[in-house]
Amino acid sequence: MSFDAVIDVRNVSKRFGGLTAVNNCSLSVQRGSITGLIGPNGAGKSTLFNIVAGNIVPDSGQVLFDGQDVTGLAPHQLFRQGMLRTFQIAHEFSNMTALENLMMVPGDQPGESLVDSWLRPRLVKARETEVRKKALDVIDFLKLGHVRNELAGNLSGGQKKLLELGRTMMVDAKVVLLDEVAAGVNKTLLHDLAANIERMNKELGYTFFVIEHDMDLIGRLCDPVIVMAQGEKIAEGPMSEIRANAAIVEAYFGSPVEAD
């Protein structure tokens, strides 16, 4: 394991009946990076991503997070340790405002306790004020102030993706898993989304692990890019090298990919 690896996947395999989805795969995500994971349909990347996120338990191998073995831990357990995931389809609380969605994220708030609400109202109020201030700071960072009081269910696809990014900022995640962040987002908001991911990485030190089909977005955001095929990691490097590898382009993308 590299000293700076925040996620380290070691010899992970997963089978579904007679199908081997992930075959003895090893890879790492370096702290402070935006690491991309790409490959054709059936490559095993979604299965591996779900194993890292705690949605699937591997048949063999290990997943280490921040140096600790977290193999088989559930998503809510990983959340407490600082690993957060966004989804291809945003999972907002549609009947709450954008601001309220953000304020819901931090766990163990005293207002969740009936006893604290009755006996320690000042503590409850102080914590609520603190959480609200942070939520407003996140909204300001993401430039969502114009929709902060709008019901989240009324937001556009791109705005919902921005809101999901904001939810990861409410708990200062060690690593954010981005699942098809470009899906359902128009080009204008996708540019804003990418810019905010870059800002979170460069200004706030967030680490991202990205699974994505949009090669232009991967090329803009990610270094390194990891390529999977037939359940195995077959290449890793900057997107310029991946695009220039004729064998990878022909075998795994079907046609030449032009360089940026």
Side-chain angles (χ1 to χ4, degrees):
M1 180 181 71
S2 168
F3 180 77
D4 290 326
V6 66
I7 293 174
D8 194 49
V9 175
R10 297 181 176 180
N11 306 113
V12 163
S13 294
K14 182 64 182 180
R15 296 172 182 82
F16 298 98
L19 172 68
T20 299
V22 179
N23 184 28
N24 199 35
C25 185
S26 297
L27 57 83
S28 64
V29 175
Q30 302 302 305
R31 195 181 311 278
S33 72
I34 305 178
T35 298
L37 180 63
I38 65 173
N41 291 333
K45 60 187 185 298
S46 294
T47 300
L48 183 69
F49 202 75
N50 279 315
I51 288 171
V52 172
N55 299 105
I56 295 175
V57 178
D59 295 326
S60 59
Q62 290 180 301
V63 178
L64 276 67
F65 177 48
D66 214 14
Q68 302 297 314
D69 188 348
V70 296
T71 312
L73 291 189
H76 71 274
Q77 294 173 303
L78 294 171
F79 174 90
R80 293 193 187 104
Q81 296 190 32
M83 184 191 295
L84 278 70
R85 178 182 184 173
T86 69
F87 290 87
Q88 181 175 352
I89 300 174
H91 290 184
E92 77 284 351
F93 296 104
S94 58
N95 292 322
M96 292 184 174
T97 67
L99 179 63
E100 289 168 341
N101 265 260
L102 296 183
M103 292 180 67
M104 284 286 293
V105 176
D108 300 321
Q109 297 187 47
E112 297 172 359
S113 166
L114 188 59
V115 173
D116 282 338
S117 297
W118 283 350
L119 302 181
R120 307 173 72 187
R122 290 185 181 178
L123 176 65
V124 172
K125 183 64 175 177
R127 178 59 175 154
E128 183 178 325
T129 299
E130 177 186 337
V131 171
R132 180 181 174 85
K133 181 182 183 305
K134 180 156 190 172
L136 289 170
D137 288 344
V138 168
I139 280 177
D140 182 60
F141 183 91
L142 296 175
K143 298 180 173 61
L144 285 173
H146 59 296
V147 295
R148 77 178 193 185
N149 295 319
E150 182 67 59
L151 292 180
N154 295 337
L155 302 181
S156 70
Q159 290 169 336
K160 289 178 180 179
K161 294 292 180 72
L162 282 171
L163 186 62
E164 283 217 334
L165 269 186
R167 288 163 68 175
T168 71
M169 296 175 68
M170 290 298 296
V171 290
D172 299 321
K174 293 179 183 177
V175 63
V176 178
L177 308 180
L178 296 179
D179 186 355
E180 299 287 355
V181 69
V185 181
N186 68 48
K187 288 187 177 181
T188 299
L189 276 175
L190 184 57
H191 174 80
D192 293 342
L193 192 61
N196 278 296
I197 292 168
E198 290 170 331
R199 288 180 64 209
M200 289 172 67
N201 174 251
K202 293 175 183 177
E203 298 176 20
L204 304 178
Y206 276 72
T207 301
F208 291 94
F209 188 30
V210 185
I211 185 171
E212 180 58 61
H213 282 97
D214 188 321
M215 292 300 100
D216 290 332
L217 183 64
I218 286 285
R220 170 177 173 172
L221 290 178
C222 300
D223 187 9
V225 177
I226 297 170
V227 185
M228 284 187 69
Q230 297 180 341
E232 301 176 357
K233 170 184 164 181
I234 62 167
E236 178 176 354
M239 193 60 174
S240 57
E241 291 182 8
I242 300 300
R243 288 179 183 271
N245 188 318
I248 291 175
V249 170
E250 181 63 27
Y252 304 109
F253 298 104
S255 59
V257 178
E258 296 181 2
D260 289 332

